[in-house]
Structures are given as structure tokens and as C-alpha cells.
Amino acid sequence: RLLLQKGIGPGQVHGILLDLGMSSHHIDNPERGFSFQRMGPLDMRMDRSSSDITAEQIVNEWSADDIRKLLVEYGEESRAAP
């Protein structure tokens, strides 16, 4: 429907590329902190050069209210509750 609204009809699209944010590079490397199959630090930063805050610090040092605010503001989880 969206393509039709943009004037793109059947047969005009030969492929679609999606950037879903995660890749096997992030999950397979335990040092990235996304792996649930291998031991590694709880990091979870997509760009480790942009911030010094890790997921480990957030879950172990932040208050429940601060984590809730993070989920509401950046995770778009409006039902996050303390």
C-alpha cells in the first residue's frame, strides 16, 4: 500500500533492503555484550566509541525509575512500570 501511495506499482520493485539494526556480528561476538549463547561483558552498545555507559552499569547502578524513564523515552515502551 505504501509503495502504491508513492506511485510504485507491481513489477517495479526487484528487491527491498532492510536495516534491522542487529547483525550476526553483534550477536556472535561475545565481547559486544549481545550474545545469549556465550559469556561476555554486558555491554550492548551499538557504537562503543559514542558512550562510556554499558548495559551492565545501567542494570546494576541505575534506579528502577531511571530505567523506566529510559525505556519510555528511548525504547518507546509507554507501559514501562516501576
Side-chain angles (χ1 to χ4, degrees):
R1 187 171 61 174
L2 178 63
L3 293 175
L4 290 174
Q5 290 173 353
K6 299 290 184 183
I8 302 169
Q12 291 180 285
V13 176
H14 300 286
I16 296 176
L17 176 64
L18 300 174
D19 180 0
L20 302 177
M22 295 287 291
S23 71
S24 62
H25 167 74
H26 296 106
I27 296 171
D28 292 343
N29 182 350
E31 293 299 314
R32 297 300 308 255
F34 291 99
S35 180
F36 51 87
Q37 296 177 328
R38 298 183 180 105
M39 293 297 292
L42 184 58
D43 191 332
M44 301 185 83
R45 292 175 291 167
M46 297 300 276
D47 179 3
R48 292 185 280 180
S49 67
S50 68
S51 174
D52 292 331
I53 300 173
T54 66
E56 180 179 13
Q57 291 170 300
I58 291 171
V59 300
N60 289 313
E61 298 172 13
W62 289 22
S63 70
D65 191 53
D66 286 339
I67 294 172
R68 183 194 61 77
K69 289 176 186 174
L70 177 80
L71 292 172
V72 169
E73 288 183 36
Y74 298 103
E76 299 177 10
E77 181 52 64
S78 60
R79 295 176 295 187

